[in-house]
Amino acid sequence: MSTLPDGDHGAGPVPARRLRVAVWKFASCDGCQLQLLDAVGRWPALLGRIEFVQFLEASSRVEPGPYDVGIVEGSVSTPQDVVRIREVRRQCRFLLTIGACATSGGIQALRNWGRVEDFVAAVYASPDTIEALATSTGIAEHVPVDFELRGCPVDTAQLADVLVALATGRTPRVPSTSVCAECKAAGVVCVAVTRGIPCLGPVTQAGCGALCPAHGRECFGCFGPAEATNLPALSAHYEATGTPRGRLLPLVRGICGWAPAFRAEAERLADAPGEPAP
Amino acid sequence: MSDDGAGSVRGIRTIAVGALSRVEGEGALRVRVVDGRAEIVEFNIYEPPRFFEKFLVGRPLAEVPDLVARICGICPVAYQLTACRALEKALVVEPDPAVAPLRRLLYCGEWIQSHALHVHLLHLPDFLGYESGFAMAADHPALVEAGFRMKALGNRVMEVVGGRAVHPVNVAVGGFHRWPEAAAVRGLVPDLERGLGDALELVSRVADLPFPTLAPEAEEVALAHPDEYPILEGRIASSAGLVADVDDFRAHFAERQVPWSTALHCLREPGGTPYRVGALARVNLCRDRLPPRAARAAAAAGLGRPERNPFRSIVARAVEIAAACEEGMALAAAWDRGTRGPCAALPARAGAGAHATEAPRGLLWHRYAFDAAGRIEAAAIVPPTSQNQARIEADLRAGLPEALAMDDAGATLRCEQLVRSYDPCISCATHFLTVRIDRP
């Protein structure tokens, strides 16, 4: 239970002091903060390396900055967020953003293609008391970010690895390959090749362990685009094998739809809509 | 607690908490006391609005479970399965008979992890005098370890059935994407049995906590089902005698916007009165359908008759962890994969449908309309926290005289403790908290 995820039994060089970590939430579902709590539950030895000096979801403790590491969950979606994220950056030596919301605007970035006034009016009877920006965007669009950990939610083991890496001064072990590579390594039968299901595995960052294909379904890109992708070629392949463009567009314009590679492809598909979805 | 400070402003005494801690999401509470009377009690939910109901429009209905899961990382299954049932009813699709017990098991997993998190890490520190579960662990290691063990158990159930604890990937309109291995499901039984033991011990531990006294009259609302403790199916019932079909939710409940919150307030109609949903409401309304060992534990803990003290919801949550483990054992032991395939084919037709389930925090209601191409035309989601919000304000008003007799720090802590008794999930309040008390 107390062994750290990289096999470190805590016997390595004892840090002079624990990293002072602060956690902030912006627009999000809290799922990535929950993964952080689960990481501590799985590897209590983490608390020998780091201490949470501000983590409002889990603790009433609030210590003033500066902090060694700031962890941010959630996207920037209100005028206040824009101001707050600059203050957070100013307080943190190292800024780690976690999850689809913080790294690409999240599912709530689907508003970015509409008029925010319409979105407010659709949900609220008195829109004037609601303050929302026209867009929901990732943290790096506003302030410099030192490390982005992807996923909706982030993977608990990857998150623990990044924290241990920061505490011990090594590089985080986060792969830059695609879900497709993880899928092959796991020996999962390809849903795209064998069943003609359009799958984003070839263009999606690894880290989930090819969870969706292992459940017999398509990857829907919740870890965002992989480092090197060719989305137009993938779309062309799926279209040539019978998937209508109207089916591809919502797949690409999904949980990480505002990530640059997915966004560009969604806009290309939307400009030439082709036949509608069945 | 980030303290905005206490003091006197123009003859009005002020106690203020800037951002409420140990709740899921963001919000504030403001209390203003003039001449010894609490004038304003408002929840300021400043969780940024995320507009789920709007961006679902135009999306393929099959995507809805994956999208609405993202409303809440702590109770994604509640959102997924409420949506699946509403859409299946509208499509007139009947999943394989092996789907319903597997969904109930998945939902039990979510109750276990959500309640274990709230009881141990968010709520118990209030009673035992700690800033957090981490700090509590130094003096109560066995208690916190048991909490993490139950949390991990809930996660495990969700992983075996749903593929992942936060935002499961295996839930589909029509059933599941893939049947889990029956052996893996049955393999959960010993862990659930240990969880039941942990939970029964927890019930007796929390039953003896020092509770503030508060017993306001409150209407309570939960699903009611003739044969089972309510989770996935049932009619909407209340302590005031309401019995309604989920389709008729709008006839009895209405959402209203208040200027101090981005969460809509849902109230009982007619009359616009507050009501309570969640673990305490469920145990009060449906305790005769708790499984036997959980029912005996509830009775021994004093929940054998309606409990009016909202602070004692922590006991109800512990009872429900036991109930979910006990039921989960039976479900996992008996489950085998179906014969028709994990996911029913979805017909191409236009339709509309509503459904309600019992999320860990209470009644969750969804309604969807879609066109013949299967694209969502309208979506409405009423989460538990927007239903509880007005009730929390009413309880705060009822509890203020006792709280305000304390010093500022004590009064603030008491108010926060009451709010946390509702396990408010502010992220869920799709459309939530900071405590601020102004007094002379």
Side-chain angles (χ1 to χ4, degrees):
Chain A
M1 272 294 272
S2 64
T3 308
L4 289 166
D6 61 350
D8 177 353
H9 295 264
V14 177
R17 61 177 182 83
R18 298 188 290 171
L19 286 178
R20 299 177 76 246
V21 176
V23 183
W24 284 276
K25 171 187 160 62
F26 286 73
S28 67
C29 79
D30 287 64
C32 290
Q33 290 185 83
L34 192 59
Q35 295 290 76
L36 181 56
L37 282 172
D38 279 337
V40 172
R42 274 175 76 181
W43 300 293
L46 274 174
L47 293 181
R49 303 283 192 190
I50 63 169
E51 63 174 330
F52 294 112
V53 296
Q54 172 169 321
F55 186 176
L56 272 181
E57 172 154 338
S59 176
S60 300
R61 178 181 185 182
V62 176
E63 286 189 14
Y67 310 103
D68 296 319
V69 178
I71 301 178
V72 172
E73 172 197 88
S75 69
V76 172
S77 73
T78 68
Q80 297 89 324
D81 288 346
V82 176
V83 177
R84 191 159 63 106
I85 192 60
R86 290 190 193 125
E87 179 57 21
V88 166
R89 174 67 267 190
R90 206 179 58 75
Q91 300 266 350
C92 300
R93 188 166 57 80
F94 191 97
L95 187 61
L96 167 65
T97 56
I98 60 170
C101 299
T103 59
S104 71
I107 189 73
Q108 59 273 16
L110 289 175
R111 78 163 81 147
N112 298 3
W113 286 274
R115 286 185 352 119
V116 70
E117 299 84 353
D118 297 342
F119 278 68
V120 176
V123 179
Y124 298 98
S126 310
D128 47 309
T129 64
I130 303 299
E131 285 192 73
L133 293 172
T135 55
S136 166
T137 46
I139 302 302
E141 289 198 32
H142 301 269
V143 295
V145 170
D146 299 295
F147 195 85
E148 291 189 324
L149 189 65
R150 306 264 202 84
C152 187
V154 291
D155 178 74
T156 315
Q158 282 198 345
L159 181 55
D161 178 81
V162 172
L163 293 174
V164 172
L166 287 173
T168 56
R170 66 161 168 80
T171 306
R173 297 176 189 131
V174 175
S176 60
T177 52
S178 71
V179 170
C180 213
E182 287 185 301
C183 208
K184 300 298 163 288
V188 173
V189 175
C190 180
V191 298
V193 169
T194 63
R195 293 166 58 199
I197 299 173
C199 173
L200 290 183
V203 294
T204 297
Q205 155 104 26
C208 64
L211 204 51
C212 286
H215 284 79
R217 61 171 300 190
E218 79 290 353
C219 166
F220 53 98
C222 79
F223 274 62
E227 213 167 74
T229 60
N230 187 345
L231 274 125
L234 187 68
S235 296
H237 167 76
Y238 288 138
E239 283 191 90
T241 52
T243 303
R245 189 165 277 210
R247 169 89 180 79
L248 292 176
L249 179 58
L251 185 63
V252 178
R253 188 175 283 177
I255 284 163
C256 293
W258 199 247
F262 287 176
R263 178 180 166 189
E265 181 61 4
E267 277 160 15
R268 193 184 71 82
L269 291 167
D271 283 346
E275 54 178 305
Chain B
M1 182 182 87
S2 95
D3 204 335
D4 283 346
S8 250
V9 182
R10 287 195 298 273
I12 295 171
R13 189 169 172 199
T14 303
I15 303 169
V17 176
L20 198 85
S21 59
R22 283 184 275 123
V23 294
E24 295 105 356
E26 298 200 314
L29 171 70
R30 183 190 165 102
V31 178
R32 183 186 166 92
V33 182
V34 180
D35 300 331
R37 284 182 302 112
E39 266 191 350
I40 306 170
V41 178
E42 358 180 287
F43 251 156
N44 168 17
I45 294 192
Y46 56 88
E47 179 80 18
R50 292 166 71 212
F51 310 113
F52 273 84
E53 289 141 313
K54 175 67 175 170
F55 67 63
L56 286 167
V57 172
R59 307 288 301 194
L61 69 86
E63 279 187 358
V64 172
D66 293 322
L67 295 179
V68 295
R70 270 71 187 177
I71 291 173
C72 180
I74 298 122
C75 55
V77 166
Y79 285 87
Q80 291 186 316
L81 293 181
T82 311
C84 286
R85 292 300 297 130
L87 291 164
E88 287 161 4
K89 282 154 66 179
L91 288 161
V92 201
V93 159
E94 201 52 55
D96 185 285
V99 165
L102 196 59
R103 284 179 168 172
R104 192 168 169 89
L105 176 61
L106 176 63
Y107 219 132
C108 284
E110 179 158 286
W111 275 22
I112 294 167
Q113 66 86 22
S114 176
H115 283 350
L117 171 78
H118 187 263
V119 169
H120 295 88
L121 293 185
L122 310 187
H123 208 191
L124 260 178
D126 279 338
F127 293 96
L128 301 181
Y130 295 90
E131 63 189 19
S132 69
F134 307 133
M136 201 170 75
D139 300 328
H140 302 277
L143 185 61
V144 174
E145 276 170 30
F148 273 118
R149 195 159 59 232
M150 285 181 253
K151 174 83 179 66
L153 167 64
N155 286 3
R156 183 81 196 124
V157 173
M158 294 172 80
E159 285 159 10
V160 167
V161 179
R164 182 159 69 181
V166 175
H167 307 329
V169 303
N170 198 23
V171 173
V173 182
F176 288 92
H177 289 287
R178 190 196 66 179
W179 291 126
E181 294 296 329
V185 173
R186 282 193 291 272
L188 293 167
V189 174
D191 292 340
L192 285 161
E193 193 161 16
R194 181 173 187 191
L196 175 58
D198 282 340
L200 293 172
E201 206 169 296
L202 179 68
V203 174
S204 46
R205 175 74 191 258
V206 298
D208 294 331
L209 290 169
F211 292 101
T213 48
L214 184 65
E217 279 298 316
E219 184 174 2
E220 295 190 306
V221 175
L223 288 182
H225 188 282
D227 309 319
E228 56 191 31
Y229 197 71
I231 301 181
L232 268 155
E233 305 290 338
R235 301 182 79 196
I236 299 169
S238 97
S239 55
L242 171 75
V243 180
D245 285 331
V246 292
D247 292 326
D248 299 329
F249 179 84
R250 289 283 198 217
H252 305 283
F253 303 88
E255 284 182 301
R256 296 182 186 183
Q257 188 180 353
V258 293
W260 58 87
S261 174
T262 57
L264 301 171
H265 276 199
C266 192
L267 300 166
R268 272 281 275 127
E269 298 293 342
T273 50
Y275 62 101
R276 179 187 296 138
V277 298
L280 190 60
R282 285 190 294 257
V283 171
N284 280 339
L285 288 162
C286 308
R287 65 188 175 285
D288 57 333
R289 273 145 287 167
L290 281 166
R293 294 178 70 181
R296 283 200 296 275
L303 295 181
R305 53 192 160 73
E307 172 58 62
R308 295 284 159 234
N309 186 347
F311 288 99
R312 286 179 56 90
S313 67
I314 192 171
V315 189
R317 262 177 221 107
V319 165
E320 286 197 337
I321 299 174
C325 290
E326 194 173 356
E327 270 227 27
M329 285 166 62
L331 289 165
W335 190 80
D336 206 347
R337 58 178 60 191
T339 53
R340 275 199 266 140
C343 196
L346 306 183
R349 70 163 79 193
H355 195 72
T357 71
E358 285 289 342
R361 286 155 197 80
L363 190 75
L364 169 62
W365 184 82
H366 289 209
R367 185 181 184 279
Y368 299 95
F370 48 86
D371 64 20
R375 279 185 296 251
I376 298 295
E377 290 181 317
I381 297 169
V382 182
T385 295
S386 39
Q387 301 177 69
N388 271 333
Q389 203 180 337
R391 188 60 250 168
I392 299 173
E393 291 184 5
D395 282 3
L396 282 163
R397 280 189 206 98
L400 270 175
E402 191 178 319
L404 291 173
M406 308 166 119
D407 65 10
D408 287 355
T412 298
L413 182 63
R414 175 64 60 85
C415 290
E416 287 186 292
Q417 186 178 3
L418 178 57
V419 171
R420 283 193 282 266
S421 296
Y422 281 82
D423 189 6
C425 185
I426 304 173
S427 303
C428 290
T430 16
H431 335 289
F432 180 151
L433 202 74
T434 310
V435 181
R436 184 174 152 161
I437 304 174
D438 299 339
R439 60 177 167 183

